[in-house]
Amino acid sequence: MNRPPVGKITVIHGPMFSGKTEELLRRVRRAKIARKRVQLFKPAIDNRYHATQVLPHFLAQAADESVQVGEEAHVISHPREILPLVENETDIVAIEEAQFLDASLFDTIRRLSRAGKDLILSLLDQDYRRMPFPIAGSDRTVGDYLAIAHESLKLSAICVVCGEEAHHSQKLTLSGINGEGKPEYSPASFYSEVVTVGTSQELAQNKLFAEKKMDFPENIYEARCRYCHSVADEPK
Ligand SMILES: [Zn+2]
């Protein structure tokens, strides 16, 4: 029987600091050892550490243009850029931080799978309110990618407060500077901005901090368990 090829869709998901990037890169490297051809994509919004390489977070401190520990990635700002870049010989298409791309990625994934390409996605699955991460410009959430996956792997982080298993990303907002000149942070409001796609106030502020035009970042994130996670102004 002559069946058309179907690419396998794998989703790696979890909170921030749960090792999603490390797991994606581990799978990419294994595939390369198996002589598979892999193309890696990342959204332009995720340029926190390196412009064209995907780096695990623990290497972020050391990241600069000369660091070659990551894998070369196509930096894209829209899913429509993916299909024209995928080469015929490519076996696997890996997409890092896929939650930052708009909902047309859903169709792109299905088309690549139908063309016989395996897909590996890493996804932040919840926003800082513990809600399924919304996909910009649509009613979809990243849960839709889980629904069409053939395999999914949920990763957890470690709660920085109590050391238990963490499934949530805690957003903290700068609330003041104490007497010793140290910044004080408090849980972000339920109504503060969820970073989805494109430029945002938060990314602009983080850029100012990175350029040392601000003393402290406006927002910081930590992994936390459900008991230690909190959101200000959360509806009952
Ligand atoms: Zn905890």
Side-chain angles (χ1 to χ4, degrees), residues 194-213:
V194 177
V195 177
T196 47
V197 76
T199 56
S200 70
Q201 202 186 355
E202 179 172 313
L203 285 158
Q205 284 167 343
N206 286 346
K207 190 162 175 286
L208 286 176
F209 171 67
E211 291 167 356
K212 308 222 183 304
K213 289 177 183 156

Side-chain angles (χ1 to χ4, degrees), residues 159 161-164 225 228:
C159 176
V161 179
C162 74
E164 293 292 317
C225 73
C228 300

Side-chain angles (χ1 to χ4, degrees), residues 6 24 38 43 54 56-57 59 89 91 104 106 121 128 143 145 147 150 156 167-168 171 182 191 198 200 208 217:
V6 177
L24 181 130
V38 185
V54 175
H57 289 194
L59 290 169
E89 320 77 67
D91 302 298
S104 65
F106 194 81
L121 272 67
Y128 74 94
Y145 297 129
H150 301 113
S156 60
H167 294 108
H168 310 293
K171 181 178 181 179
K182 297 232 170 76
Y191 302 100
S200 70
L208 286 176

Side-chain angles (χ1 to χ4, degrees), residues 7-13 20-32 36-42 91-98 105 109 112 117-123 145 149-153:
K8 180 179 177 182
I9 303 170
T10 301
V11 175
I12 300 159
H13 63 112
K20 299 185 297 296
T21 300
E22 287 95 319
E23 177 61 21
L24 181 130
L25 292 179
R26 189 183 75 86
R27 290 178 182 230
V28 165
R29 287 181 185 135
R30 278 168 59 93
K32 285 184 171 175
K36 297 257 171 74
R37 191 172 148 74
V38 185
Q39 282 184 270
L40 184 55
F41 293 84
K42 62 183 252 181
D91 302 298
I92 300 171
V93 174
I95 305 170
E96 166 75 350
E97 302 274 15
L105 181 63
I109 289 168
L112 285 168
K117 312 292 186 198
D118 288 341
L119 288 123
I120 309 174
L121 272 67
S122 76
L123 282 178
Y145 297 129
H150 301 113
E151 180 192 340
S152 64
L153 174 65

Side-chain angles (χ1 to χ4, degrees), residues 80-140:
R80 78 170 78 88
E81 297 165 48
I82 295 175
L83 287 177
L85 286 167
V86 173
E87 292 158 19
N88 273 340
E89 320 77 67
T90 292
D91 302 298
I92 300 171
V93 174
I95 305 170
E96 166 75 350
E97 302 274 15
Q99 76 280 355
F100 287 135
L101 293 166
D102 85 16
S104 65
L105 181 63
F106 194 81
D107 198 46
T108 302
I109 289 168
R110 292 202 293 187
R111 288 172 68 172
L112 285 168
S113 174
R114 277 203 301 273
K117 312 292 186 198
D118 288 341
L119 288 123
I120 309 174
L121 272 67
S122 76
L123 282 178
L124 181 65
D125 54 10
Q126 296 174 15
D127 64 23
Y128 74 94
R129 303 168 303 176
R130 305 185 307 275
M131 307 286 270
F133 202 94
I135 298 176
S138 77
D139 297 331
R140 290 190 189 279

